[in-house]
Amino acid sequence: MKKVFMIHGFKGEPNGGWRPWLMGELAQNEIWACALPMPTPEFPVKDEWVKKISEEVKSPNEEIFLVGHSLGVPAILRYLETLPKGSKIGGSIFVSGPVFKKLEGGNEYIKIFLNEPFDFEHIKSVCKNFTVIHGDDDPNVPISDAKYLAENLSRNLILVPNGKHLNGLAGIYKLPQALDSLLKMINT
């Protein structure tokens, strides 16, 4: 059974922004989806977030798909780094995700997720497909982070015009780019 797990960002919540819409669209396509409530979103701890993803996914396989927003992106990347060689996740969608420490006043909680380079070779070996989606005018995460992520995953970058941080505060309650990308991954 195909399963989609969504991971919100810093100070986020499972049912914020476009996640309820995406869950509804996936349900119409008979795809199981769940937006995870990440522990202490106001004071995130990297190991706790990775553990939460691991506990919910249970057995990684090609029927599992991950969707992260903002801090949910490096959380997924760190989770993928923990998977043993030979594991294979079906795909990951990365929305407005930071990869460098130069963020909004230097929040220490966020920096912990970003304090070491990502092992992109291992990440690509345990996840089949990737899509990177980013607002072309994101005030929180520079577009250079999205370009770097797309380049290192050998994938194209989808830019959303006037999307800002692609969250509810930016008025984004639907994200068809994520749905389209997921359906392509799931149906290949």
Side-chain angles (χ1 to χ4, degrees):
M1 175 206 276
K2 311 279 190 209
K3 293 184 177 181
V4 176
F5 295 92
M6 296 179 223
I7 293 85
H8 63 74
F10 178 60
K11 297 184 179 181
E13 57 187 38
N15 293 318
W18 43 264
R19 285 179 292 284
W21 171 83
L22 184 56
M23 285 194 304
E25 293 295 312
L26 292 170
Q28 288 179 19
N29 284 278
E30 299 182 2
I31 299 167
W32 184 91
C34 173
L36 302 180
M38 300 308 287
T40 60
E42 301 279 330
F43 307 101
V45 176
K46 178 181 72 174
D47 293 343
E48 291 177 4
W49 280 39
V50 170
K51 181 180 176 190
K52 175 71 170 175
I53 297 168
S54 181
E55 288 172 351
E56 295 293 333
V57 168
K58 292 181 178 72
S59 296
N61 61 70
E62 292 187 35
E63 303 252 305
I64 302 291
F65 298 84
L66 305 170
V67 179
H69 175 259
S70 196
L71 191 60
V73 171
I76 291 171
L77 291 167
R78 295 300 180 200
Y79 163 73
L80 293 172
E81 287 177 329
T82 69
L83 296 181
K85 287 185 189 259
S87 299
K88 196 65 92 173
I89 295 285
S92 295
I93 308 284
F94 299 135
V95 181
S96 302
V99 290
F100 297 113
K101 292 193 270 187
K102 59 182 181 318
L103 290 173
E104 44 181 287
N107 184 293
E108 293 305 315
Y109 292 101
I110 294 172
K111 284 183 177 182
I112 298 295
F113 286 74
L114 308 173
N115 64 356
E116 295 176 17
F118 293 100
D119 184 351
F120 287 112
E121 289 310 308
H122 182 74
I123 290 166
K124 289 189 288 188
S125 78
V126 297
C127 188
K128 261 176 77 171
N129 298 291
F130 300 94
T131 298
V132 179
I133 303 171
H134 206 84
D136 69 352
D137 57 350
D138 190 324
N140 299 335
V141 179
I143 200 166
S144 57
D145 283 33
K147 288 178 179 176
Y148 178 84
L149 190 55
E151 287 169 12
N152 280 279
L153 296 173
S154 304
R155 296 295 178 253
N156 291 328
L157 169 61
I158 298 172
L159 291 177
V160 178
N162 305 310
K164 302 214 180 314
H165 195 51
L166 296 173
N167 59 6
L169 291 175
I172 306 294
Y173 296 101
K174 294 180 181 180
L175 194 57
Q177 298 88 342
L179 177 63
D180 294 345
S181 296
L182 262 176
L183 292 177
K184 283 179 190 165
M185 286 179 189
I186 288 170
N187 293 317
T188 58

